Each structure stands twice: as C-alpha cells, then as structure tokens.
Amino acid sequence: MPSMKVGLFVPCYIDQFYPQVAIATLQLLQKLGCDVVVPLEQTCCGQPLANSGFSKLTKGCEKNFVANFAGVDYVVAPSGSCVLHIKEHLPDGKSPSLSTHIRSTIYELTEFLTDVLKVEKLEAYFPYKVGFHNSCHGQRGLGLSSMTELNMPGFSKPAMLLGMVDGIQVQLPERQDECCGFGGTFCVFEEAVSVKMGKDRIREHQSNEVDVITGCDVSCLMHLEGLLKRQGSKIRVMHIAEILNCQ
Amino acid sequence: MKARSIILDKVRNSKPSFIPLDDIKYSSMVCRTDRNNWWSQFRALAETVGASVIRLDSQHDFQQFIDEYCEGQAIVNLYHHPDAPTLMPLDNTDLALIQSAVMPAAFAVAENGALWLSEKQMGIRVLPFICEQLVLVVNEREIVANMHEAYERITGDLEGFGVFIAGPSKTADIEQSLVIGAHGPKSLTVVILGNGGSDPA
Amino acid sequence: MKKKHAELAEVFNADESMTDWHDETLWWIRQKRDRSAHNIPEWEQLRQWASDIKAHTLSNLDYYLEEFERNAIANGIKVHWARDAAEHNAIIAGIIRENGVSRVVKSKSMLTEECHLNDHLKDLGIEVVDTDLGERIVQLRDEPPSHIVLPAIHLKKEEVSKTFHQKLGTELGNHDPVYLTSAARDHLRERFIEAELAITGVNFAVANTGEFVVCTNEGNADMGAHLAKVHIAAMGIEKLIPSQKHLGVFTRLLARSATGQPITAYTSHFRTPARGRAIHIVLVDNGRSRLLGQEDFRNSLKCIRCGACFNTCPVYRRSGGHSYHTAIAGPIGSILSPNLDLKANADLPFASTLCGSCSNVCPVKINIHEQLWKWRQVIADKKQFGLFKRLSMRVTATVLSSPFVYRITGRMARWVLRNWPAMINRKSINPWYKQREMPEAPKESFREWYVKNGQL
C-alpha cells in the first residue's frame, strides 16, 4: 500500500489531559503503515465555543485549524465529537478549497481504520472484559454504528475493530446507545442531569462486571471517569485507541 | 376578517419557494403481506389492542350470538335495525344507559386491527363511544392491508363523520397502567361474518 | 425571575428514586415505540414521506389554508382566524357567550395549553373540565401537563389517589389504577352528559375535503364533541395536509411513535356538523408564520405532537416536563418556545446534550438537535447571556486562537491541578467537582511528549 499522509488531529483536552490517547493513536496509525504528520501549532476545533452559541468567536480556531492541516491526504482524530464539528461547521473562510478538502477527508480514528485503511486484522491483545460506550456524535453524527431508533441493519465499526483484539470480551450496556450526559458545557451548566445520566450509564456497565469502559470519545470517558473515581470504583476508562494499540 | 388577511399575508411572505410533492407510491412497498394472511394479521392486532374477535359462518350463528351476548341488556342493534336511532329520539341521559350497541363496520384494516365506520353505520355519532359494550360486524371480504388502502376506500365517502376504531376505549394515564374503558366501551367484540353470512348493511 | 431548566432539574433530581422511575417509565414507552417501528419494514420511507408532505404543505400553506377554509365552510363549519393566543381565547370565549353556555368540556389540545385558554376562561367565570384522564388529574391539582401525550406522567398513583380522594371523594389509600380510572369515568360521564359545548384539538386538517381528524385512546374527544350542541376545534395553521390520502402516512406514524400502538383507539374524521349542531374551527397563527419565515427553524412546524422526542430524550426523562416551564416541554418544546419568547426561554436550547436521538425518532424527520444548536447561536447573538459568560467565551476564544497562548495556559492549568488542586477542587465554584473528580493532570502534554520522543 502506498503510504498516505495522515495529519493527526489531537483535540485540545486530549493534548493537555490524555496524552496517552494521542500517543496510542499515533503508534497505531504508524503500525498500520501511515505516514503520520503531527502539526505542532494545532489548538482546538472551536466546538466548545460553537456549542455554547458562540460560533461567531471560532474564526481564530478555524483559521489555525486550516493552516495546520493543509496539505495532508487525511485528517484523523481520536474523537468523534471534534471530527463531527469540523465536518459540519468548518466554514469555507479564505481558502474554500482547503476547507472543503478537510471537511471531506477528516475521519474519526475507527472509521478511518475500517473505511479507508480497511483493516481486517490487528496485532492486539487485551485480556479484559470491556464495556463499550457509544458516543452520540460518533454514532448518530458520523454513523460509526447503527442506531437503535432507526429501522436499519445492525453494524458497528468500533465493535468490529474490538473484535480483532485477542483475549477481549466486549459487552454493551442494556441501553446500548444512550447518551452519557457529558454534552460539552452541559456537564457543568446542567450538572444535576449530567451526573445522573453518567451514573445511569455506569450502573449498567457495572452490572455487566466490566473491567474497563471504552469508547471513541475521550470527553464521554472523562466524564464517566470523574464519576467512577468519586465512587471509588475499580472500573477504568480507556480510549479505544489504547486497546487497539495494546500488545 | 382582519386577522384572516393578516395571517394569510404573513404566510405568503414567509413561506419558502414551492416544494413539489411526488405521489406516494405505497403499492410498491414491501409491507404488502399475502392477502391470505390479512385476516390473521387483523385478528392478532385487534386482540393486541384489546378487542375480542370471533368468526361466524352464517346469519343463524350470528343471530344466536347476538341473542346470547345481549340477553337482558339495553341494546341498540343497528346491524339488523339500521333505522333504530331515528325511531327513538334519545337524549344524552338515555344514551348513557345503553349497554350494548351492535353495528356494521365498512371494512377492517389488517396492519392495525382497526375498523372503519361512517355516520350511516352508527346512526347516532356518539353511539359507538357511549355504549358500554360495542359489537362491530364486518364481512370477511371487507379487509384492506394498511391505512393507505383504507383511505383509498374512504375517498369519495361524503359522510359527515367517520371513525377508525381499534379496540375498546383505554387509558394509561395513571403510571402507564393500561385500563380498559376510560370513557367509552369497556369491550369491543369484532364479529367477522364468513361466507355464509350476508353483507353488512 | 422564573427559575431556569437547570435549577428546576436539580430539584427534580433531589429524589433519585423518583427520577429513576420517571426515566424507566418513559424509556419503556420508547422501547414500545422501537418495537412498533421496527415491525414496519418501510418505516424510514414513511418518515421521509411524512416529512416531504409537510415540507410541501408549508411551502404552499396560504393556498392550502384557503382551500381548507373554502371546503370547511361548504361543509357547514364556521371558520375563525386568530393571530395570537389572545385572539384565540377571545374567539372561543365569544362563541361560549353567544351560545349562552356555562358547561364546557375540553379534550386534550396542546394549542389551548399554549394559549392558556383555561386560565382565560376561568377569569371570565367559565369553568372548563378537561376530559382526558391525565389532563383531568393535573387540572384537579392545578398543575400544567408535564408531557404532551402523557400529561400526568410525573405523578405516581399514590399522588393521583390522594388528589382524587380530596377532589372526587374516592377511598383514602386506594391506589388501584383501575379503581381510580373508574372513578374518573363516572365523574366525567356526568360532565359529558351535561356539557353544552365541547372544545377539542385537531391532529390533522385536510385541505381537499375540509375535514379534520382527532385521535384519542379514551374516546373523550368524541364523547364531548358528539354529546354537546356546539363543538369548537382549535388548530395551529401548521396542522394542514393537502389531501385525505396523506392521512394514510400520518395515521401509520402517529400512534406508533407516541406509544407504540399500531393506531389510536379512535381516529375520528369530522366533516360536517350533525343535524342541529354546530362546529367551529379556530385557525391559530401565534408565531407560526414567523417561524415559517426562518429557514433554520421552519422544519419545527412539521411536528405532529407525538411526543416521541420526549420519551427518548435522556434529559427530559431525568428532569421532568415541568422543568421546561413551558406548555410544550421536551426537545420539540425547546425549539418551539424560543420563537414565542426568546428571553424567557433562552435556557431551553441548552437543556440538551445534542445527542441527536430526538431527530432519529421524529416521525416527520425534524432536525431537532440541529435546531437546538442553531437557537444557541441566536441566543448568543442577541446577547441573552450575562456579561460574565460573554467575557469568558471571548477569553476562551483568544486562548484557543493562539497556539502559543494555548500552550502556556494549558501548562499553567495542569500545574495548578497538580500542585494546588484545592484551588480548582471546590464544589462552590466548580460544578464539575460536586460529584466528579477532575481528570489527572499529566506533567507533559502530548505535544511536549511528541517534540521529545515522537520523531524517532
């Protein structure tokens, strides 16, 4: 396979708080033969501002984003939510062709692995019981898996990849695609409901006796991790890239 | 009429440019089950929504059923006496005393267990709603697959009122516990008149 | 100042077992909806048709309104037009007065809730009895409905029993729903028999026949409308559909989406008044034409009020209808209410995680979660936020626009979290920390790691 130039988009909070997720993503993509570029001047996609109603303040983020990711074949990020934001809201700005190119070639990590790299096997070993959390923006926004509301055949790109990992046991919670309650600034402005939603997700994973909760969005996992730690739970959270990269 | 012209003007000025509408081509749909299964589908659905369904093969059986079913009750039988309501002027209080009403239904709908009645079949509009027990009689030839076909049959029916009835009156407004007989009939019996029976009125 | 959704939701969540019950009850209805929808192989096609029919109708709404009016008048129905809630209420009060009527029954109509008709009539000394069981329950408690399809879903049977004991004299402590429903049936039957005028809502109005359709499970709309001499049907102007055959699409979607039933127990088609009776229709705008003029929000006029978005919404299920402080709660209410009063309802588009489940269950394919996002932009543009929030957003924007400032700020934030956590880990200033731990702050950001180790 001719090596393709992939720009690794590391969302701001992953850069600052979950570097191990970005490292796993980088290593995984390299293992699979990609020529990974990490633009060093990247910051944030602007989603936190836009989802709060301030999309007019995101021009700086967008300009910076386009400048950093011009010239790669694909942009890949370990976050469905940030990818969806770029896909839906990155405006044409001063360089329409660049923006259009980015919007149409940006991928969330798992869909990049299944749809572009067409990965069929992985050298990965993870001997644990894992609960999978479907993040809403990945699932309903990007279509990473089928949705229970719709009358459509079942599929899941992330679950397909997890299925290639040796030793793993994957479990879905009873409500397999209910939101965890993170929701960006929702998690602080609607603290009570956000926490209750998260606690309910955790309860279902707990009843499945999982060791780890994983998913394609660190934001959901960060919220669930905050709750798990406060509860003193033994369940850990890990991004799917960390599991797929585990040997 | 001031409000009328103001609203229409606002609508005219606000509406988007015209969006054409294609014909609904439901006949190409996958849902059209085998005609032979329609009655079994109807029966299953009608029972799901709380009706009891019986099939009777002759007028004699039907008459016998009515006699037994309605014994000793205040009953209005529009199937056999379509003029009954006009012969007896009833006020609201009288109507509320009617225990059973028997009336023909024009046709049944397989996909949801509903039956169509128009005004001429119910005599008095409130009758199928106010009686305690409702019996609807439908000929076994009169069934359609789904609501698209149902409306095809109704088109051109210029009655003043018509209703699809699916099961008895029900509510689940208290803790989602299903209770039959919220206001109207506490039971719905659907009689399917088989080959031997004559057409409903 | 009225309390906002977040505060009211916090109060709702104070009783966790009640929140669980509310959530599970509505989730159960969502599951019934799923089973019902998944049993129809052409379900997604039906949704598309419904959406297309509504889009077409809205694009030609003035024509269809006039066609409907013409046909309804030919059918012997009296047609009235109301620009807003006040006109709607005045027209209905006028009809009641003209007929010299004092006993009025009303079946469920979210439009009359939107217009606060009951309060208006009460002020005029006219008593209206709501006849839908759920609506009667909340009316006896002097509360608004908390759900457009299940008005009393926020109440447990013990509370209903208490209310009925006080107001209808039922046995104290008898909580059996069958017993309570039967008591309500007897109580309401008297009201039906005495009623001189009945008010109903409208589910669909058909332009080419001048008829309108009302769907209920209880049969209360029919009991009222057929027993009373005068029937007033109130409808928003968006309830129109072009022709009768389109009812085939909507009647397949409505009940399945609402409760998972294949169809409501009664789907009643009113075309002409019965002999000696009168039917009035009130066509109400109340902000709808304004919504029609806004491309981003126009689609919300497709709504058929099935309530599916309520039942699937993880926020609604865990905050209850009253936390939305509007007649129509839930996700659809959060995109309709800002159009009626932006300032009072500026909190509602934020009462969502934008998970998108609402748009997926919507039988007419309204892009509800996208409209929530768009309302947020309108709210920010119109400066509906306090100065502090606006300033903090500006600061955030400045930080995130400059790679250098972003890196410095990130490093500082991580340093503070590691070395001085007490500054951030305070429940009084940090809502995150109330019930969640902060993420661990690593010494190195990814970028810092990458610069050192990445390009090996």
Side-chain angles (χ1 to χ4, degrees), chain B residues 23 28 31 34 44 50 55 57 63 83 107-108 166 176 180 192 194 197:
Chain B
D23 229 18
S28 62
C31 69
D34 182 359
R55 192 194 143 99
D57 277 326
Q63 188 64 55
D83 292 337
F107 61 88
Q176 281 299 292
I180 302 294
I192 303 167

Side-chain angles (χ1 to χ4, degrees), chain C residues 91-288:
Chain C
I91 289 167
I92 292 180
I95 300 169
I96 293 172
R97 282 222 198 87
E98 267 167 39
N99 286 280
V101 159
S102 58
R103 290 187 292 266
V104 178
V105 289
K106 179 161 80 68
S107 74
K108 199 162 68 206
S109 144
M110 289 320 297
L111 177 65
T112 60
E113 293 289 340
E114 175 188 318
C115 296
H116 302 288
L117 176 71
N118 282 14
D119 293 340
H120 178 76
L121 294 180
K122 207 172 167 187
D123 290 345
L124 297 174
I126 303 163
E127 194 213 2
V128 180
V129 175
D130 276 310
T131 58
D132 172 83
L133 176 60
E135 286 233 309
R136 187 62 182 147
I137 293 168
V138 294
Q139 188 183 35
L140 290 172
R141 295 170 60 89
D142 211 9
E143 283 175 1
S146 68
H147 186 296
I148 59 175
V149 174
L150 320 157
I153 196 68
H154 60 293
L155 295 170
K156 300 198 75 163
K157 58 186 183 216
E158 289 77 13
E159 288 170 89
V160 176
S161 166
K162 216 185 285 173
T163 305
F164 276 17
H165 172 66
Q166 285 162 5
K167 307 280 179 170
L168 306 179
T170 57
E171 288 168 29
L172 186 66
N174 190 337
H175 308 147
D176 178 14
V178 177
Y179 168 74
L180 296 170
T181 303
S182 154
R185 176 187 169 105
D186 293 344
H187 154 74
L188 288 166
R189 202 153 251 251
E190 285 173 30
R191 301 294 178 282
F192 280 128
I193 289 166
E194 294 167 353
E196 300 155 296
L197 185 145
I199 301 170
T200 71
V202 168
N203 289 90
F204 308 102
V206 183
N208 78 334
T209 59
E211 75 194 296
F212 61 92
V213 175
V214 182
C215 306
T216 73
N217 277 319
E218 297 182 6
N220 58 314
D222 288 283
M223 285 285 273
H226 302 317
L227 287 170
K229 296 255 178 292
V230 183
H231 173 189
I232 305 175
M235 61 174 269
I237 53 174
E238 84 284 16
K239 294 281 175 189
L240 274 174
I241 56 172
S243 68
Q244 206 183 34
K245 67 178 177 209
H246 297 132
L247 286 169
V249 174
F250 292 102
T251 52
R252 298 189 76 195
L253 286 164
L254 179 63
R256 288 186 174 101
S257 298
T259 59
Q261 292 170 263
I263 188 169
T264 46
Y266 303 104
T267 306
S268 299
H269 301 57
F270 295 84
R271 188 197 293 262
T272 68
R275 194 172 305 129
R277 307 284 172 100
I279 298 182
H280 297 260
I281 286 185
V282 189
L283 295 164
V284 185
D285 182 345
N286 203 34
R288 287 161 176 77

Side-chain angles (χ1 to χ4, degrees), chain B residues 1-4 6-8 10-26 28-31 45 48-49 86 92-93 95-98 111-114 116 119 125-126 128-132 134 146-148 151 154-186, chain C residues 21 25 28-29 32 40-42 46 49 52-53 55-56 58-62 65-66 69 81-83 87 131-134 137 149-153 155-158 160 177-178 180-181 185 188-189 192-193 217-220 222-223 226-227 237 244-249 251-252 256 261-274 279 283 285 289 292-293 298:
Chain B
M1 283 288 100
K2 200 173 137 213
R4 178 184 186 278
I6 291 173
I7 293 171
L8 285 171
K10 277 168 96 176
V11 168
R12 216 165 277 135
N13 297 331
S14 312
K15 67 176 183 180
S17 45
F18 183 74
I19 301 168
L21 181 64
D22 290 337
D23 229 18
I24 307 280
K25 294 196 179 64
Y26 65 83
S28 62
M29 273 172 350
V30 275
C31 69
L45 266 299
T48 308
V49 297
T86 46
N92 288 356
T93 320
L95 286 165
L97 296 173
I98 294 172
E111 74 157 320
N112 56 23
W116 172 257
E119 193 159 16
R125 289 185 187 185
V126 79
F129 304 97
I130 201 168
C131 61
E132 300 259 320
L134 179 63
N146 55 38
M147 292 305 285
H148 309 292
Y151 281 103
I154 295 168
T155 302
D157 176 352
L158 291 176
E159 296 276 324
F161 176 75
V163 60
F164 284 103
I165 295 182
S169 159
K170 57 179 78 70
T171 185
D173 274 348
I174 301 174
E175 278 200 8
Q176 281 299 292
S177 310
L178 181 67
V179 181
I180 302 294
H183 296 290
K186 290 175 177 166
Chain C
W21 177 81
T25 308
W28 178 65
I29 301 169
K32 287 200 292 179
I40 305 286
E42 68 277 18
L46 279 174
W49 277 338
D52 292 346
I53 294 166
H56 163 77
L58 291 169
S59 80
N60 205 17
L61 189 59
D62 50 333
L65 280 166
E66 290 188 287
E69 181 192 40
W81 299 73
R83 278 176 294 178
E87 280 191 2
T131 58
D132 172 83
L133 176 60
I137 293 168
V149 174
L150 320 157
I153 196 68
L155 295 170
K156 300 198 75 163
K157 58 186 183 216
E158 289 77 13
V160 176
V178 177
L180 296 170
T181 303
R185 176 187 169 105
L188 288 166
R189 202 153 251 251
F192 280 128
I193 289 166
N217 277 319
E218 297 182 6
N220 58 314
D222 288 283
M223 285 285 273
H226 302 317
L227 287 170
I237 53 174
Q244 206 183 34
K245 67 178 177 209
H246 297 132
L247 286 169
V249 174
T251 52
R252 298 189 76 195
R256 288 186 174 101
Q261 292 170 263
I263 188 169
T264 46
Y266 303 104
T267 306
S268 299
H269 301 57
F270 295 84
R271 188 197 293 262
T272 68
I279 298 182
L283 295 164
D285 182 345
S289 58
L292 185 65
R298 179 179 297 141

Side-chain angles (χ1 to χ4, degrees), chain C residues 410-442:
Chain C
R411 202 176 300 160
M412 270 166 31
R414 280 184 282 118
W415 185 89
V416 171
L417 258 176
R418 274 200 318 277
N419 298 298
W420 197 12
M423 181 167 160
I424 289 170
N425 292 349
R426 271 190 289 174
K427 294 180 186 181
S428 56
I429 54 155
N430 181 359
W432 175 281
Y433 189 70
K434 267 189 184 171
Q435 303 183 67
R436 285 166 290 213
E437 294 299 324
M438 293 293 285
E440 234 166 77

Side-chain angles (χ1 to χ4, degrees), chain C residues 13-30:
Chain C
N13 271 275
D15 183 347
E16 191 167 357
S17 67
M18 182 65 198
T19 308
D20 285 336
W21 177 81
H22 192 263
D23 166 62
E24 281 156 19
T25 308
L26 289 153
W27 180 255
W28 178 65
I29 301 169
R30 154 78 207 271

